[in-house]
Amino acid sequence: MSIALAIDTPDTPAAHLSLVRLYAMRAAYLLIVIGMAPPMWSAIIHHGTKWGVMQSAAFCLIGAVTLLAALGIRYPVRMVPLLLFELAWKAIWLIAVARPLWSAGLLDADMMETVKACGLGVILFPLVIPWRHVWDNYVRAPGDRWR
């Protein structure tokens, strides 16, 4: 009795991507895990009693992103929506929050660190996201049925 594995067979999305692209995606997921997991999970585990609603929600959301990014190291193509999410929120934050503060000369050192981190993501993620896969599977493909 043999069990057929659907790993990189011609009909899987990963089969259509080069190994270089897959490893670049894995590196992006690893960067998310290494860069964000230690401070987020430390804050989640050791937070004080005076943790605001928005701050606690943001830390838990980013903590969840790090867990999903760890999954992306194993399944880089299946976790592409996570890279799209990371690209989207960072671009929105840079445009809606950082740009007006920069224009007004109000960026402090802490805010500048976030600008650098978000800027890196906005530069890096478009380079590793398999845009043809995104187009074929999220734009051109028919949506799931409604009824």
Side-chain angles (χ1 to χ4, degrees):
M1 173 155 108
S2 69
I3 298 173
L5 297 176
I7 299 173
D8 290 350
T9 57
D11 58 340
T12 62
H16 302 290
L17 299 175
S18 71
L19 266 179
V20 171
R21 174 62 61 116
L22 291 172
Y23 277 106
M25 292 168 66
R26 286 184 170 110
Y29 293 117
L30 186 61
L31 182 66
I32 293 168
V33 172
I34 291 171
M36 294 186 344
M40 292 304 127
W41 283 100
S42 176
I44 291 167
I45 293 167
H46 303 293
H47 69 83
T49 56
K50 295 271 238 183
W51 218 19
V53 173
M54 289 307 293
Q55 184 183 22
S56 62
F59 274 77
C60 291
L61 183 134
I62 296 172
V65 166
T66 65
L67 293 177
L68 294 171
L71 195 57
I73 295 168
R74 181 168 178 161
Y75 303 107
V77 179
R78 292 180 192 175
M79 297 307 293
V80 162
L82 184 65
L83 294 178
L84 295 171
F85 172 77
E86 280 288 301
L87 175 62
W89 87 256
K90 288 175 183 197
I92 292 167
W93 188 86
L94 286 169
I95 292 165
V97 177
R99 186 178 172 276
L101 290 173
W102 174 76
S103 294
L106 299 173
L107 280 180
D108 61 13
D110 287 338
M111 189 74 75
M112 197 59 199
E113 288 302 313
T114 304
V115 168
K116 289 177 189 174
C118 286
L120 176 64
V122 168
I123 292 168
L124 175 69
F125 294 142
L127 298 175
V128 301
I129 291 171
W131 291 106
R132 175 78 186 254
H133 171 79
V134 170
W135 179 259
D136 290 345
N137 291 280
Y138 300 109
V139 178
R140 276 193 16 190
D144 295 334
R145 62 188 175 93
W146 288 86
R147 302 173 132 234

